[in-house]
Amino acid sequence: MIVLEDGCLSVSGAMTMATAAALLEEGRRLVSKAVNRVDLSAVGEADSCGLAVLLEWARVKGQPLALSGVPASLQALAALYDLDGVLGLTTPQAS
């Protein structure tokens, strides 16, 4: 489920192959509005299809998404596919 409130797009439930098509379409419609942040803290399960959904939303928005509450599984997949920087999930390296 997706809710847009005060510029924050909140996603809850699963972001998997079974839910990706619905999330993709609903998110495309909402992301083109005034979305400042995407909150994933209520996402229970995520796979590579969830990662693909986030990448498409960023493409539609025309810039990286400001993500919060990203599940460890999505962070690991993004790092595995070298997409963590594209999604803004990298942390600055200490010098």
Side-chain angles (χ1 to χ4, degrees):
M1 181 168 105
I2 303 175
V3 176
L4 177 59
E5 186 176 313
D6 297 328
C8 179
L9 190 69
S10 298
V11 183
S12 62
M15 291 185 78
T16 62
M17 183 183 225
T19 62
L23 288 172
L24 188 64
E25 289 310 311
E26 187 176 358
R28 276 185 184 143
R29 181 178 58 80
L30 294 172
V31 162
S32 62
K33 299 182 183 197
V35 170
N36 302 319
R37 183 170 60 93
V38 177
D39 179 12
L40 303 174
S41 60
V43 171
E45 181 183 2
D47 62 17
S48 59
C49 291
L51 185 63
V53 167
L54 293 174
L55 290 168
E56 175 60 11
W57 291 352
R59 188 196 66 75
V60 168
K61 185 151 179 67
Q63 64 189 48
L65 301 170
L67 302 174
S68 64
V70 181
S73 58
L74 274 179
Q75 289 182 15
L77 284 170
L80 176 68
Y81 297 132
D82 199 23
L83 296 170
D84 45 352
V86 173
L87 290 171
L89 298 175
T90 57
T91 55
Q93 297 292 324
S95 339

